[in-house]
Amino acid sequence: MTITNRQLLYANTPTPAIDPSPTSGTFKINTITLPDDVPDDKLLLRIHYLALEPAMRQWLTAKRSYIAPVELGAVMRGQSIAQVIRVGSGLTSQYQVGDWVVAYSGWQEYAVLGAKEAQKIAVPTGCRPTDAMSVLGMTGLTAYFGMMEVGQPKAGDTVVVSGAAGATGMVAGQIAKIHGAKRVIGIAGSADKCDFLRNELGFDYAINYKDEDWMKQLKDATPEYIDVFFDNVGGEILDACLGRAAQFSRFVICGAISQYNVAKPQGPSNIMQVISQRVKMQGFIVFDYAKQYPEALKNLGLWLTQGKIQRKEHIVQGGLEATPQGLVDLYGGANTGKMMVEVVPVSEAIDDKAKL
Ligand SMILES: NC(=O)c1ccc[n+]([C@@H]2O[C@H](COP(=O)([O-])OP(=O)(O)OC[C@H]3O[C@@H](n4cnc5c(N)ncnc54)[C@H](OP(=O)(O)O)[C@@H]3O)[C@@H](O)[C@H]2O)c1
């Protein structure tokens, strides 16, 4: 049976924000027909969930970064949860039709990929396969290594997390709590997100950075200053936290989403606090720790099944077409937890036994 595959191609350079318009925007739909035969060393996958990530804006234009930019005209890069629907003859000992995988598929409905680009999902009993793209995937690992390797929270520490209700931030804050932090403070963009952090995740304080007096709230919540700051946001929030840095504090520079869509990114004016308070400020990329993924996943899986880590997902409906607007909404803060697009519901999976 011939398969028609719809894809989203990178069509126009953002100026500087992403334009979700389906006709003249940053991405455009392309339709191709896939050949009937799958090569011996490939799998044919049907994509069910596409991950949305803040770094995608960087992937479009950043010239010198940790990953090459996506080329104009190429399928937009992205991870997905997909189901194996055909197996090349050389891979039948490793995969079966119906297997679920985390795939480096890009933004499309189907993908033909090799084994290295399609990792079989293995989540602990009681967990959801979509966890493999969030708390047991890249964002969970990012939180884990950023907090454990760079932040190194100790019993009694005051830990602040920005972007705290997002996929990475919510896990980072909970890891600090597991490691005995005295005060974990989340910074997020709405009263509902702050309620969620306090009531469902056990953060000690949550500050809505859209409140007029948020800097005073930060000061009141950090009477012993900040020992670890896990930053997903950059800009004004990083600056304010530098103003509250404790001596010998660790500033984990994970992301700077407030600056990704602006023409001229803003640096911190409180940078001299790094000297006077002897702040260790370190950026990192999760891939640096690839060799330690198995151990990290074991710990994250354990904490998840023990209920020490709670998580949430934000699933965007509307199929592949909804992806560009979903990405714009991610920058706008629409999500609590990992944001994904449902390309096709699980009810349409080919094998009932393989249901997510
Ligand atoms: N270093 C690494 O290896 C690595 C790996 C993965 C991700 N990251 C970074 O980690 C960060 C979080 O990524 P994620 O995938 O977990 O996304 P996410 O936090 O689930 O979603 C992004 C959140 O950022 C917040 N935000 C957007 N604009 C903002 C602004 N101007 N000021 C403050 N907050 C803003 C929004 O929440 P509010 O409603 O709170 O504004 C939004 O929900 C990103 O900066 C990303 O680039 C780094």
Side-chain angles (χ1 to χ4, degrees):
M1 186 188 71
T2 303
I3 289 177
T4 302
N5 183 26
R6 292 181 326 133
Q7 319 173 301
L8 277 161
L9 307 184
Y10 175 25
N12 293 299
T13 309
T15 54
I18 288 170
D19 175 356
S21 159
T23 47
S24 56
T26 310
F27 308 100
K28 72 169 183 203
I29 291 269
N30 183 46
T31 305
I32 58 167
T33 304
L34 291 172
D36 284 337
D37 294 330
V38 181
D40 296 351
D41 60 344
K42 301 276 192 239
L43 304 162
L44 175 61
L45 306 176
R46 189 180 195 197
I47 316 303
H48 280 259
Y49 293 94
L50 284 173
L52 292 175
E53 297 174 33
M56 285 170 162
R57 173 64 188 82
Q58 307 290 94
W59 296 348
L60 299 178
T61 48
K63 287 193 178 65
R64 184 170 170 263
S65 190
Y66 63 97
I67 195 165
V70 179
E71 285 185 18
L72 277 167
V75 175
M76 177 56 190
R77 178 185 294 146
Q79 219 185 32
S80 63
I81 295 217
Q83 194 180 29
V84 176
I85 58 169
R86 281 183 208 161
V87 183
S89 60
L91 293 176
T92 49
S93 61
Q94 293 174 57
Y95 296 89
Q96 288 182 348
V97 168
D99 281 346
W100 289 93
V101 292
V102 173
Y104 295 91
S105 61
W107 287 6
Q108 50 186 340
E109 292 174 328
Y110 293 88
V112 179
L113 298 179
K116 278 196 184 148
E117 301 150 316
Q119 284 139 19
K120 272 212 259 185
I121 289 173
V123 290
T125 315
C127 295
R128 311 188 272 262
T130 45
D131 288 333
M133 213 161 58
S134 56
V135 66
L136 301 177
M138 279 305 149
T139 48
L141 289 167
T142 301
Y144 185 93
F145 292 113
M147 191 53 86
M148 305 283 285
E149 298 283 336
V150 186
Q152 301 184 4
K154 296 188 301 293
D157 275 355
T158 296
V159 177
V160 176
V161 179
S162 64
T168 307
M170 70 172 60
V171 178
Q174 293 179 91
I175 291 175
K177 204 77 197 159
I178 291 168
H179 281 79
K182 176 174 170 185
R183 278 187 205 93
V184 176
I185 299 144
I187 303 178
S190 74
D192 283 350
K193 290 186 183 189
C194 288
D195 287 346
F196 170 75
L197 292 173
R198 276 188 300 258
N199 302 334
E200 292 185 46
L201 302 190
F203 280 51
D204 301 286
Y205 300 87
I207 297 168
N208 179 355
Y209 69 86
K210 291 178 184 163
D211 286 350
E212 250 174 51
D213 68 341
W214 73 271
M215 287 197 200
K216 181 177 180 308
Q217 291 182 43
L218 178 69
K219 187 174 174 209
D220 292 346
T222 56
E224 295 171 278
Y225 298 101
I226 300 171
D227 299 297
V228 178
F229 177 48
F230 189 107
D231 191 20
N232 289 309
V233 163
E236 214 184 9
I237 291 176
L238 169 60
D239 214 9
C241 288
L242 270 174
R244 300 296 300 160
Q247 279 190 5
F248 301 104
S249 50
R250 284 83 65 204
F251 273 49
V252 184
I253 308 301
C254 175
I257 192 169
S258 72
Q259 306 300 306
Y260 291 171
N261 283 299
V262 299
K264 205 166 175 217
Q266 171 201 335
S269 63
N270 275 330
I271 193 72
M272 281 189 295
Q273 290 290 102
V274 174
I275 309 163
S276 59
Q277 303 307 322
R278 291 77 120 194
V279 178
K280 183 177 147 195
M281 197 177 203
Q282 190 189 324
F284 76 101
I285 295 293
V286 61
F287 308 147
D288 300 342
Y289 300 96
K291 286 195 180 127
Q292 293 160 254
Y293 286 176
E295 189 201 331
L297 289 172
K298 206 172 113 204
N299 286 331
L300 287 165
L302 196 66
W303 295 332
L304 196 57
T305 50
Q306 289 173 338
K308 289 183 180 167
I309 287 187
Q310 310 290 327
R311 81 309 213 185
K312 200 167 176 147
E313 294 164 348
H314 180 107
I315 310 274
V316 177
Q317 304 293 330
L320 186 72
E321 293 88 336
T323 313
Q325 184 61 52
L327 185 57
V328 170
D329 292 345
L330 176 79
Y331 297 115
N335 61 310
T336 297
K338 181 69 192 176
M339 194 156 176
M340 309 176 196
V341 176
E342 187 176 77
V343 179
V344 64
V346 175
S347 55
E348 290 185 30
I350 53 168
D351 176 1
D352 272 347
K353 279 179 288 187
K355 270 191 175 175
L356 293 186

